[in-house]
Amino acid sequence: METVPEPGSNVPPKKDRLQTKKKKPRRYWEQETTGTAAGASPGPPRKRKRNRELRPQKPKKNDTSKKFRMSKKPRELKSPRPQRSLSGAQDPFAGPAPFSVEVVQKYCRIDKSKELPHPKTKTRSRLVVAEAQEEETSVRAARSELLLTEEPGFLEGEDGEDTAKIRQADIVEAVDIASAAKHFDLNLRQFGPYRLNYSRTGRHLAFGGRRGHVAALDWVTKKLMCEINVMEAVRDIRFLHSEALLAVAQNRWLHIYDNQGIELHCVRRCDRVTRLEFLPFHFLLATASETGFLTYLDVSVGKIVAALNARAGRLSVMTQNPYNAVIHLGHSNGTVSLWSPAMKEPLVKILCHRGGVRAVAVDSTGMHMATSGLDHQLKVFDLRGTFQPLSARTLPQGAGHLAFSQRGLLAAGMGDVVNIWAGQGKASPPSLEQPYLTHRLSGHVHGLQFCPYEDVLGVGHSGGITSMLVPGAAEPNFDGLESNPYRSRKQRQEWEVKALLEKVPAELICLDPRALAEVDVISLEQAKKERAERLGYDPDARTPFQPKPKQKGRSSTASLVKRKRKVMDQEHRDKIRQSLEQQLQKQEKAKPTGARPSALDRFVR
Amino acid sequence: MSRNQAAESNLLALNQQKELEDLPKDYPLSTSEDEGDNDGERKHQKLLESISSLNRKDRQKLAERSEASLKVSEFSVSSEGSGEKLVLSDLLEPVKTSSSLAAVKKQLNRVKSKKTVELPLHREEIERIHREVAFNKSSQILSKWDPVVLKNRQAEQLVFPLSKPQSAFAPIEHVVSGWKAGTPLEQEIFDLLHKNKQPVTEPLLTPVEKASLKAMSLEEVKMRRAELQRARALQSYYEARARREKRIKSKKYHRILKKGKAKQALKDFEKLQKVNPGAALEELEKLDKARMMERMSLKHQNSGKWAKSKAIMAKYDLEAHQAIQEQLARNKVLTHKVQAASESEEDDLEARQAMQEQLARNKELMQKVQAASESEEEEEVQEEEEEPLVPDMVNGVQIKANGLNPWMFRNHFIDAEEAEVQKDLESVEEPEAQETSESEEERAVVEEETLLKEFEERRSLRQKSELNHMAEPVHRQVTKDPSSQEVLSELRALSQKLITENHQSGKQELSSARTAQREEPAREEEEPMLLQRPKRAQTLDELEELGREGCVENKELPRTAVEGLQLEKNLSNHIGTPKEKKRKEQMIDLQNLLTTKSSSVKSLAVPTTVQELEDEEERDQRQMIKVAFAGDDAIRDFLKEKREAVEASKPKDLDLTLPGWGKWGGMGLKPSAKKRRRFLIKAPEGPPRKDKNLPNVIISEKRNIHAAAHQVQVLSHPFTHHHQFERTIQTPIGSTWNTQRAFQKLTMSKVVTKPGHIIKPIKAEDVGYRSSSRSDLSVVQRNPKRLSIRHKKLLENNCVD
């Protein structure tokens, strides 16, 4: 296909003719430009009936090379400044690599909304340096997005076709074999409804049946790691930091198994556990129990960090906020409470439903929380400070289980049906108007989880386990150092050590994880006050006004006093003005709320 | 010789005795030499003297010292014999004039010219001054390093040992010399250039040019310097002379000088007239101006202080009399009217007559007019009195109307003439003026009318609004700003509506409305039964509570059908308060939140409800029952909980009352309310709660102490506000959040030292300075007493101060 140009062929006048005859050698950059060009151009129409592409897709090379040559000539003409070098060759990409401003904005971390008091020159220089650093790092990060080669998959219907009508069988038919193999059903009718859990890398799957069946397998290769029957009711199952450890909430106590099915621990302080959550960066296993306790178990040292009494009866709904590691508990009085191990009381309590809360899920950005209640409603709440519902929908039977995918798809299990809703963009809440996909199962849903880094939704139900294909659910690019699905045993061990070294203390869990980057203003003030007390004066206080000495008799004692008084009066006036304004505000607030209700009002409907 | 003596005497008279003491000792003052004369001569002299003394009336007996004795009379020293006065210089003078005397004279002169030397300062003070000067200088030298220090402080990384900054920019000649001409044309060009020693690049000069420039510059500088020196010397001579002359007190001298000057000036003027008449004229003008000034200021009359004193003296003192006379004469000269030249006088006279005639005519006219208008008699009288004066003035000014005094000229002329001319024109012009004024007035009136109309309109509006206002209290409406018409109209409409509603049977309306409202949701979709039921159970109490919780304007939230129902309810409840309705509209309602408009999923797959598992069924049933019974109190419970949380988080008041203090105490006796109020310390109101406007949320206000322990608690130096510091630590530096390069750069160490290298202190060369600064500093440090001239001056200044 490609030929190397002859060695003596770089004589300029001949070049044009050669180009017409022979194909130029392809360079490493040519691939990319064609890719982007293809992406930008309308390209192949997406009107094919079912254009479903699962994540692992590769650009087709056949037509790209053709297109490239077509698009090359204009670019050569465009190239702004041909730089001469010894060989006479030109740099086709002169100057620094381009980057998009929006992407850079995404990586900017400095909160510029806070107003700064006018800084001194020294301080200003520091601030300038900090801002320059931020910009540089964010530009670098934006440039490195080039390395995220994979694109998310998607599912698009024909004009007016509802994607929800597309069945799993159709999808499986359309996708490649490797992806098709990811859709499977495990018929396990014997041991009753299953709970399931994917490991953080998305490679392994553990499931536990109500009637004691516990198994773990590498679900991609379908290689079974262990399969045991614990001879006790299994309420929940969860992988710990790696696929080597497995926590199982059994009828009485919490048990921990390894991937061979050997029982390692029996944690008796966590009894009658109904739900399990693992906080990977803190190495905390959160357990919600029937007795109403939320217990945090540090699995790296095996200690119970905190046991909090929720004072709301039986806890059966729990989820974690992956953004800030706050635990969300759903209660039977329609409230959802947010917990951190450092606080004895809930950080926030939100009244979400009229009836009890049946399921809670939080998306990966920590912005949205989906709840479903016994009032058959499904609501999406905004978690950024206001805790107000963004959208709500009444479902015929109400959702018993909810799960968010990495890219913000929301799955709800209602009876034996699973519905999936998608949002418009990445960080947008799922729009509950039209379901993206629906699927009917052979049994009632008992557990739901999207598989990380794979477009797969795992559903545990009374008839076993179903692995559904959901195009566009997962993040297509994984961080090989953080959670590598293809890692070897050695790599896993390395990662384990690193992760343990970077373990975040449990007490740092709070609503705003960026609070650590803030100054503790209260203790700062306190320290200031104490210092002033100790010294007997406030060293930072403003020095009282001292009039400047003047000449020609204007610096007499009387005039000095007069000038001082002038300044003092000015300050005094300002103070009075301020207090008056405050009073006005208060008065406005305290306006009477209207006429007094009469005693007869009770009879009016 | 005599001149010498005179000079000497002068000197002695002027100088003090002290200065004489400074004379060198090697020149002895000997008087013994006179005694060596022979006796015969002396006797002869004596004889002559005694003879001559016989003639004199007042004979002075001078004691003569004939022999050595202990008693020496102080009066006995005399200059007998020579018949001259004794002067000191004679004593000094040797018999023979020697060369050494000249030196003494010189010294004497020098002494005379020199001022007295002041006392030296204290040693400490001198040292202090030295220190100060040295400090100033060294600090100045050190300030050169400021930019370097600043740069190093702000540098991202410092690598030691400091490497010299490479001289990145080579001079252009070097570059050019390194470049060789390639093509034959270029070679030719370069050959040409080098042959002629032409500069290769533009700003360079040929060596010849450079040399010539250098040669020229030195000469020029020398010449220039010499010139300057000369000018300076001349100036100083002149100044000295002027100063000397100024110091002369003799009146006669000054008089003569003045006269001389006047003569000179006259001569000059004549000369100028011949040479340059224009300039002469200007001179004349100047003189005139001076005269005018004189006339204005009345300087030389007899009213001054000096003149008055002289006038008193004049009776007795002839000189004073003369002086006064002189002064008056001068005054006369200065103030006398300048007469025009004789030729132009006749014309002027004619003109004056013509003018007067005209004026007379004017006057007649004026008088006629006056007769008509009697009321203005008084003014006319005054004018009549003025009028005879005017023409003179006019003439006086007109004669010398050469633009000398435009101010006077213009004023009087216009006053005199135009005033007269306009006066008779006025009768003609007046109607016109009146007309114009009338038209103006009309315009003004129109404007006024429009304004008035506007005002009236406004007033009527206000009255209307006031009427409205009056009407409103019937419905107990209180509006804050009556000016805003929209609000008013709205309110009016509302009130009318309400009245009509009142008149009708409101119940029916309401029920019908409610049914309508109920139909809507039904039309939209089938609401679940659970939703419908609680609506009815909403109580007023809850609403009130919500109102107390605060209102939020959040219009994004979906409105529900229930809301309309509630509003209806509000209307029916508080029928006279439509304002409340508005308020309610703005508020988030918990009910709304919980019963948001929601549509059921039109999913294809409706879950099969037939076969349900036991436990799920069981649980559902249990919760169903709970919902059925506890749907309403969920909200109430939540509100109660929230209220409790709010109460708990509020700072507590401190009660310091001591029962029984100052009063009777005991069982059942309570301290009086007054006392309690007096001793109750109210806690300051804390910041507003975060969930103040969120009725469905309780946000804990407790601080996470454990997390706070990890936060920064002290502001480091240059920061004055915590927000500033926060900005600098908001960017994460870990490799988890950054690319590898960025991470490396962010965690770069601030100072790097190369192992195995000696780190020498920073030198001036290292940062691109010349080394002079450092050597300067060392000199000052080593020898602070050696100071430059400038510093000496400074020192002197300090001494003077």
Side-chain angles (χ1 to χ4, degrees):
Chain A
M1 180 178 164
E2 293 145 13
T3 55
V4 180
E6 283 170 19
S9 69
N10 56 352
V11 185
K14 279 185 185 176
K15 211 177 181 181
D16 289 334
R17 229 179 47 185
L18 269 175
Q19 218 173 12
T20 53
K21 270 188 181 177
K22 289 186 178 179
K23 288 171 185 173
K24 268 197 94 183
R26 206 169 58 193
R27 302 291 183 204
Y28 70 94
W29 62 77
E30 292 175 357
Q31 186 80 45
E32 279 168 20
T33 50
T34 52
T36 53
S41 65
R46 285 180 179 178
K47 283 177 186 176
R48 283 180 293 165
K49 196 199 167 190
R50 274 149 207 182
N51 179 9
R52 359 187 139 93
E53 298 176 40
L54 286 180
R55 184 182 52 73
Q57 49 174 323
K58 302 219 166 174
K60 291 158 193 169
K61 282 170 192 170
N62 303 345
D63 50 359
T64 50
S65 58
K66 236 187 212 170
K67 234 174 236 167
F68 166 65
R69 242 176 282 112
M70 276 156 61
S71 65
K72 201 202 166 179
K73 269 192 181 168
R75 204 193 56 214
E76 251 188 316
L77 289 174
K78 245 192 270 171
S79 62
R81 224 192 293 149
Q83 287 184 338
R84 276 170 56 182
S85 65
L86 277 177
S87 63
Q90 289 183 1
D91 183 5
F93 300 103
F99 57 88
S100 78
V101 181
E102 293 94 57
V103 180
V104 169
Q105 208 60 40
K106 195 171 78 182
Y107 291 107
C108 283
R109 259 81 166 225
I110 291 182
D111 178 18
K112 276 162 188 160
S113 64
K114 279 176 189 167
E115 216 172 284
L116 287 189
H118 186 68
K120 290 187 288 186
T121 42
K122 260 185 198 171
T123 324
R124 201 180 305 133
S125 69
R126 294 277 282 267
L127 291 176
V128 165
V129 165
E131 264 162 40
Q133 266 182 357
E134 185 217 17
E135 199 188 337
E136 198 191 335
T137 53
S138 52
V139 165
R140 274 179 199 279
R143 287 232 174 89
S144 69
E145 279 211 341
L146 192 75
L147 302 172
L148 308 179
T149 52
E150 301 293 336
E151 286 173 9
F154 57 91
L155 182 66
E156 244 175 45
E158 266 185 343
D159 294 336
E161 197 201 8
D162 193 0
T163 50
K165 281 183 181 167
I166 299 169
R167 289 178 297 146
Q168 282 290 308
D170 299 335
I171 296 174
V172 168
E173 216 171 81
V175 296
D176 56 329
I177 297 172
S179 303
K182 286 168 187 167
H183 171 65
F184 60 90
D185 267 315
L186 297 181
N187 275 325
L188 304 161
R189 298 214 158 263
Q190 205 177 350
F191 295 106
Y194 278 89
R195 296 279 300 172
L196 82 170
N197 181 233
Y198 288 100
S199 67
R200 273 199 78 224
T201 58
R203 182 85 179 180
H204 298 272
L205 172 68
F207 51 86
R210 167 73 57 78
R211 296 189 175 82
H213 178 212
V214 171
L217 71 157
D218 181 346
W219 70 271
V220 181
T221 58
K222 317 284 188 310
K223 192 183 138 200
L224 190 67
M225 292 197 301
C226 67
E227 188 171 21
I228 49 172
N229 198 321
V230 295
M231 307 305 285
E232 207 177 3
V234 170
R235 292 216 179 91
D236 202 358
I237 188 166
R238 195 126 312 230
F239 276 115
L240 296 190
H241 56 276
S242 72
E243 57 271 15
L245 291 169
L246 200 59
V248 180
Q250 293 178 16
N251 195 22
R252 287 206 67 184
W253 295 310
L254 174 70
H255 294 258
I256 291 176
Y257 300 90
D258 74 348
N259 57 0
Q260 305 299 316
I262 300 162
E263 183 181 331
L264 299 178
H265 301 288
C266 170
V267 187
R268 291 189 185 168
R269 286 192 61 190
C270 304
D271 59 334
R272 302 199 166 275
V273 175
T274 54
R275 285 286 179 270
L276 292 172
E277 275 294 338
F278 185 71
L279 310 177
F281 298 105
H282 305 77
F283 284 85
L284 289 179
L285 183 67
T287 60
S289 69
E290 270 180 353
T291 51
F293 273 90
L294 171 64
T295 312
Y296 286 89
L297 175 70
D298 189 335
V299 297
S300 64
V301 291
K303 269 186 186 167
I304 285 180
V305 172
L308 311 169
N309 190 358
R311 294 202 186 79
R314 185 177 192 271
L315 301 175
S316 56
V317 180
M318 174 163 79
T319 191
Q320 66 161 309
N321 185 345
Y323 171 66
N324 53 13
V326 166
I327 293 287
H328 293 228
L329 292 177
H331 303 294
S332 58
N333 59 355
T335 58
V336 170
S337 54
L338 277 58
W339 295 83
S340 105
M343 300 282 280
K344 289 280 173 207
E345 61 177 28
L347 302 171
V348 181
K349 222 172 191 185
I350 314 161
L351 181 59
C352 295
H353 290 279
R354 194 164 278 283
V357 177
R358 285 178 74 188
V360 179
V362 182
D363 78 333
S364 59
T365 57
M367 279 184 194
H368 311 298
M369 173 178 74
T371 62
S372 79
L374 279 177
D375 55 357
H376 292 199
Q377 286 217 324
L378 174 63
K379 289 181 182 177
V380 178
F381 281 81
D382 183 10
L383 282 185
R384 292 168 295 175
T386 58
F387 304 104
Q388 300 299 322
L390 297 171
S391 53
R393 180 150 199 116
T394 310
L395 301 172
Q397 228 195 359
H401 298 274
L402 292 171
F404 265 109
S405 84
Q406 279 178 326
R407 298 192 74 243
L409 269 60
L410 176 63
M414 306 170 292
D416 58 350
V417 167
V418 172
N419 269 14
I420 299 161
W421 290 275
Q424 305 303 329
K426 179 154 193 251
S428 65
S431 62
L432 302 179
E433 300 298 318
Q434 278 287 330
Y436 176 62
L437 270 182
T438 54
H439 184 60
R440 189 183 291 278
L441 303 157
S442 58
H444 272 250
V445 177
H446 195 62
L448 268 182
Q449 198 191 357
F450 279 99
C451 179
Y453 308 112
E454 292 285 356
D455 288 344
V456 162
L457 171 68
V459 186
H461 50 88
S462 51
I465 302 285
T466 301
S467 172
M468 279 173 65
L469 293 184
V470 184
E475 194 63 47
N477 299 291
F478 58 84
D479 184 352
L481 295 174
E482 189 59 33
S483 49
N484 185 357
Y486 307 111
R487 68 187 174 192
S488 62
R489 194 162 141 262
K490 259 293 183 242
Q491 279 174 326
R492 194 191 73 205
Q493 287 165 354
E494 288 262 325
W495 168 84
E496 209 168 350
V497 172
K498 266 186 194 164
L500 276 171
L501 286 174
E502 285 176 359
K503 187 183 115 175
V504 183
E507 63 258 30
L508 288 184
I509 296 175
C510 49
L511 267 185
D512 182 14
R514 295 186 63 79
L516 260 197
E518 282 169 9
V519 174
D520 185 7
V521 182
I522 295 173
S523 26
L524 185 74
E525 296 290 326
Q526 183 71 23
K528 236 185 221 174
K529 208 186 273 176
E530 276 170 11
R531 185 164 170 236
E533 256 173 39
R534 199 175 59 240
L535 292 174
Y537 72 99
D538 189 4
D540 302 327
R542 221 152 41 93
T543 48
F545 173 72
Q546 194 63 40
K548 276 182 192 167
K550 287 188 178 175
Q551 287 183 335
K552 295 185 182 171
R554 278 178 294 176
S555 193
S556 68
T557 322
S559 75
L560 281 186
V561 170
K562 232 182 252 170
R563 268 146 70 195
K564 262 189 199 172
R565 181 151 295 282
K566 227 188 232 172
V567 174
M568 256 170 55
D569 287 349
Q570 186 59 42
E571 283 167 1
H572 194 61
R573 243 173 270 140
D574 287 345
K575 263 185 204 166
I576 288 173
R577 208 166 286 145
Q578 271 185 358
S579 68
L580 273 178
E581 275 171 13
Q582 278 179 357
Q583 274 182 5
L584 270 179
Q585 281 177 355
K586 263 189 196 171
Q587 276 178 1
E588 275 178 16
K589 274 182 200 166
K591 282 268 165 162
T593 53
R596 185 179 292 176
S598 80
L600 297 176
D601 281 347
R602 72 188 67 170
F603 299 112
V604 183
R605 268 192 187 166
Chain B
M1 185 74 187
S2 64
R3 270 174 70 192
N4 254 349
Q5 279 180 352
E8 219 88 304
S9 66
N10 205 2
L11 186 155
L12 286 173
L14 283 171
N15 278 346
Q16 294 173 351
Q17 193 65 30
K18 197 178 96 185
E19 287 172 9
L20 281 175
E21 286 170 4
D22 291 343
L23 286 174
K25 298 279 183 316
D26 59 335
Y27 191 75
L29 296 169
S30 58
T31 49
S32 59
E33 280 177 342
D34 290 36
E35 287 169 24
D37 290 342
N38 46 0
D39 280 6
E41 272 187 10
R42 236 179 85 194
K43 278 174 185 166
H44 178 70
Q45 276 287 336
K46 226 178 165 179
L47 182 72
L48 280 177
E49 248 179 72
S50 57
I51 291 165
S52 66
S53 66
L54 284 176
N55 301 342
R56 285 189 195 157
K57 285 171 189 169
D58 41 355
R59 212 173 288 166
Q60 269 186 338
K61 191 77 176 174
L62 288 171
E64 188 186 354
R65 208 176 146 206
S66 51
E67 53 194 344
S69 72
L70 274 173
K71 264 195 169 176
V72 178
S73 165
E74 56 205 283
F75 307 111
S76 63
V77 177
S78 66
S79 57
E80 266 179 288
S82 66
E84 291 169 343
K85 269 190 177 171
L86 181 75
V87 285
L88 191 61
S89 57
D90 289 345
L91 296 178
L92 289 174
E93 213 171 355
V95 182
K96 268 184 177 175
T97 49
S98 66
S99 62
S100 58
L101 197 65
V104 178
K105 270 185 204 160
K106 247 188 196 171
Q107 274 178 335
L108 269 173
N109 272 333
R110 212 180 295 151
V111 164
K112 178 195 162 194
S113 67
K114 258 189 190 167
K115 276 181 193 170
T116 52
V117 176
E118 282 176 44
L119 274 177
L121 287 171
H122 274 300
R123 197 166 56 92
E124 285 90 16
E125 209 161 333
I126 288 172
E127 273 176 0
R128 209 190 65 215
I129 291 158
H130 275 299
R131 278 200 303 272
E132 209 168 299
V133 170
F135 169 75
N136 282 338
K137 190 172 184 192
S138 53
S139 65
Q140 202 185 358
I141 288 165
L142 283 179
S143 70
K144 280 182 189 169
W145 289 91
D146 285 351
V148 178
V149 171
L150 196 69
K151 209 180 87 190
N152 281 354
R153 274 190 193 153
Q154 289 178 353
E156 282 182 354
Q157 192 176 36
L158 286 176
V159 181
F160 291 113
L162 283 173
S163 55
K164 269 184 201 171
Q166 52 187 15
S167 55
F169 305 106
I172 195 154
E173 304 96 282
H174 295 191
V175 178
V176 168
S177 65
W179 184 64
K180 277 176 185 171
T183 61
L185 178 67
E186 280 174 348
Q187 276 171 354
E188 260 180 57
I189 289 169
F190 269 80
D191 278 346
L192 270 175
L193 288 176
H194 284 301
K195 232 182 251 170
N196 296 340
K197 289 194 171 179
Q198 282 293 321
V200 181
T201 51
E202 217 203 340
L204 295 183
L205 295 167
T206 54
V208 183
E209 275 174 340
K210 261 185 198 169
S212 70
L213 258 183
K214 266 182 192 170
M216 283 288 287
S217 65
L218 185 62
E219 262 176 32
E220 241 178 10
V221 164
K222 271 183 183 171
M223 270 167 64
R224 176 92 189 126
R225 197 160 149 258
E227 262 174 36
L228 279 174
Q229 268 179 344
R230 199 162 153 267
R232 232 178 286 135
L234 280 176
Q235 195 186 352
S236 66
Y237 293 153
Y238 183 77
E239 276 173 4
R241 203 175 139 214
R243 220 175 289 134
R244 200 166 358 101
E245 279 177 358
K246 197 184 165 193
R247 223 184 285 154
I248 295 170
K249 281 182 178 170
S250 161
K251 283 179 185 171
K252 199 178 173 186
Y253 167 80
H254 278 294
R255 208 179 297 144
I256 291 166
L257 197 73
K258 225 184 260 174
K259 268 182 190 168
K261 264 186 189 169
K263 266 182 195 167
Q264 187 63 37
L266 210 68
K267 246 184 221 167
D268 281 350
F269 181 72
E270 274 167 9
K271 217 185 265 174
L272 198 69
Q273 229 174 0
K274 276 172 195 164
V275 178
N276 189 0
L281 255 174
E282 272 180 21
E283 284 288 308
L284 260 181
E285 272 176 22
K286 262 185 206 166
L287 285 176
D288 267 333
K289 221 172 212 174
R291 198 187 62 84
M292 262 156 28
M293 294 287 280
E294 183 63 44
R295 283 187 67 180
M296 276 196 300
S297 64
L298 308 175
K299 209 174 180 182
H300 289 92
Q301 278 186 346
N302 51 2
S303 55
K305 203 174 173 185
W306 174 85
K308 273 177 188 167
S309 67
K310 286 287 172 197
I312 294 165
M313 297 277 282
K315 264 189 186 175
Y316 316 102
D317 196 350
L318 207 79
E319 268 188 29
H321 188 73
Q322 262 182 353
I324 281 274
Q325 287 296 328
E326 225 171 79
Q327 163 106 346
L328 286 176
R330 194 176 175 72
N331 184 31
K332 215 172 261 175
V333 169
L334 280 172
T335 56
H336 104 277
K337 268 175 215 160
V338 181
Q339 291 299 326
S342 55
E343 301 123 25
S344 62
E345 203 156 23
E346 290 174 2
D347 294 358
D348 270 323
L349 271 173
E350 281 179 8
R352 212 184 297 167
Q353 278 173 354
M355 278 288 280
Q356 273 177 342
E357 278 174 9
Q358 205 184 2
L359 283 173
R361 248 179 284 145
N362 282 348
K363 223 190 283 173
E364 283 172 8
L365 260 172
M366 287 297 296
Q367 275 166 353
K368 278 175 194 168
V369 173
Q370 280 167 22
S373 62
E374 293 169 5
S375 61
E376 296 172 5
E377 269 180 356
E378 294 170 4
E379 289 175 12
E380 288 312 311
V381 170
Q382 280 179 0
E383 277 185 5
E384 277 176 13
E385 282 170 5
E386 279 176 19
E387 270 167 359
L389 287 174
V390 173
D392 284 353
M393 292 289 282
V394 168
N395 290 340
V397 181
Q398 260 187 340
I399 285 160
K400 55 180 187 80
N402 47 2
L404 250 188
N405 191 349
W407 176 71
M408 283 184 74
F409 173 78
R410 175 89 56 78
N411 246 5
H412 284 276
F413 195 76
I414 288 169
D415 270 356
E417 211 168 19
E418 282 187 71
E420 302 306 330
V421 175
Q422 272 188 346
K423 275 252 166 104
D424 53 359
L425 280 177
E426 245 180 355
S427 55
V428 189
E429 279 178 2
E430 253 181 349
E432 281 181 10
Q434 273 180 357
E435 273 180 10
T436 53
S437 68
E438 270 179 9
S439 64
E440 276 178 4
E441 273 182 2
E442 273 181 2
R443 241 178 282 146
V445 164
V446 169
E447 280 176 6
E448 270 187 2
E449 276 179 359
T450 52
L451 271 175
L452 274 174
K453 271 180 193 169
E454 278 182 12
F455 279 137
E456 274 184 354
E457 277 176 5
R458 276 188 208 161
R459 208 179 304 146
S460 62
L461 277 175
R462 214 176 299 149
Q463 277 172 350
K464 274 180 207 166
S465 69
E466 274 172 5
L467 273 174
N468 290 334
H469 224 22
M470 293 290 281
E472 276 159 17
V474 180
H475 312 296
R476 289 183 187 175
Q477 285 182 347
V478 186
T479 51
K480 267 180 248 172
D481 47 348
S483 60
S484 61
Q485 290 282 327
E486 294 177 1
V487 176
L488 261 179
S489 60
E490 266 185 24
L491 285 176
R492 224 177 301 144
L494 266 172
S495 63
Q496 280 173 356
K497 204 171 140 192
L498 285 172
I499 291 165
T500 50
E501 277 179 2
N502 263 345
H503 282 308
Q504 293 166 356
S505 59
K507 257 302 183 181
Q508 287 173 6
E509 273 262 329
L510 278 175
S511 58
S512 66
R514 209 178 301 147
T515 49
Q517 225 99 31
R518 246 180 223 170
E519 277 168 13
E520 280 176 10
R523 192 195 57 210
E524 279 181 9
E525 63 249 91
E526 72 294 350
E527 283 263 349
M529 285 298 288
L530 277 168
L531 259 183
Q532 293 283 349
R533 215 198 55 74
K535 273 179 212 158
R536 217 173 279 167
Q538 287 169 3
T539 55
L540 267 176
D541 304 1
E542 280 179 12
L543 281 175
E544 295 297 319
E545 280 163 358
L546 285 173
R548 250 172 263 145
E549 289 303 323
C551 43
V552 189
E553 55 288 328
N554 191 343
K555 275 154 194 172
E556 293 170 7
L557 285 165
R559 292 258 164 270
T560 58
V562 183
E563 189 191 323
L565 207 72
Q566 280 176 7
L567 285 176
E568 245 3 275
K569 248 189 204 172
N570 284 341
L571 279 178
S572 55
N573 288 338
H574 319 285
I575 207 139
T577 59
K579 220 179 99 188
E580 178 133 339
K581 177 204 159 188
K582 257 191 265 166
R583 196 174 59 77
K584 287 277 177 189
E585 268 179 353
Q586 284 186 335
M587 196 179 65
I588 287 183
D589 202 331
L590 251 192
Q591 300 282 350
N592 299 353
L593 273 179
L594 292 179
T595 58
T596 43
K597 177 174 133 192
S598 49
S599 52
S600 63
V601 177
K602 288 176 221 155
S603 70
L604 299 167
V606 177
T608 50
T609 50
V610 189
Q611 36 134 343
E612 276 200 336
L613 285 166
E614 308 154 27
D615 67 323
E616 198 143 338
E617 204 174 310
E618 193 181 297
R619 199 189 64 199
D620 274 12
Q621 271 181 357
R622 210 192 309 136
Q623 284 187 330
M624 205 86 116
I625 291 162
K626 202 171 183 190
V627 167
F629 287 101
D632 300 331
D633 18 283
I635 296 170
R636 200 179 299 155
D637 286 349
F638 188 81
L639 287 173
K640 197 179 154 200
E641 201 178 333
K642 177 158 184 179
R643 213 175 306 133
E644 277 167 5
V646 169
E647 285 300 318
S649 73
K650 261 186 190 167
K652 307 266 180 307
D653 292 350
L654 189 60
D655 195 358
L656 292 177
T657 39
L658 286 175
W661 184 262
K663 284 235 174 148
W664 287 108
M667 291 287 284
L669 275 179
K670 273 188 180 174
S672 67
K674 193 178 153 197
K675 274 245 157 114
R676 261 182 288 156
R677 219 181 305 128
R678 201 178 145 197
F679 288 107
L680 186 75
I681 296 173
K682 280 206 170 175
E685 218 174 289
R689 281 181 68 89
K690 277 178 257 167
D691 55 3
K692 208 181 82 184
N693 294 330
L694 308 169
N696 67 325
V697 184
I698 305 170
I699 298 176
S700 165
E701 294 281 313
K702 271 189 186 162
R703 233 172 116 222
N704 186 350
I705 306 163
H706 303 291
H710 292 268
Q711 284 178 330
V712 177
Q713 297 180 347
V714 183
L715 273 186
S716 54
H717 159 56
F719 301 106
T720 50
H721 197 267
H722 61 269
H723 281 169
Q724 293 170 348
F725 179 65
E726 278 163 16
R727 276 213 181 172
T728 59
I729 60 168
Q730 264 168 356
T731 349
I733 56 171
S735 58
T736 315
W737 297 274
N738 288 306
T739 58
Q740 190 59 26
R741 294 282 290 284
F743 166 68
Q744 276 171 356
K745 201 179 174 200
L746 286 172
T747 55
M748 193 169 62
S749 61
K750 201 129 199 266
V751 176
V752 173
T753 52
K754 284 181 190 165
H757 287 266
I758 300 166
I759 300 172
K760 283 177 186 162
I762 194 167
K763 269 186 285 180
E765 291 95 29
D766 291 343
V767 287
Y769 287 146
R770 258 176 261 138
S771 58
S772 59
S773 59
R774 192 174 162 72
S775 60
D776 270 9
L777 183 62
S778 59
V779 164
V780 169
Q781 280 167 346
R782 224 179 298 131
N783 191 2
K785 276 177 191 172
R786 253 184 60 189
L787 298 172
S788 66
I789 297 166
R790 202 167 53 79
H791 294 129
K792 272 178 192 158
K793 264 185 197 162
L794 187 78
L795 209 125
E796 277 167 23
N797 285 342
N798 283 340
C799 292
V800 169
D801 292 341

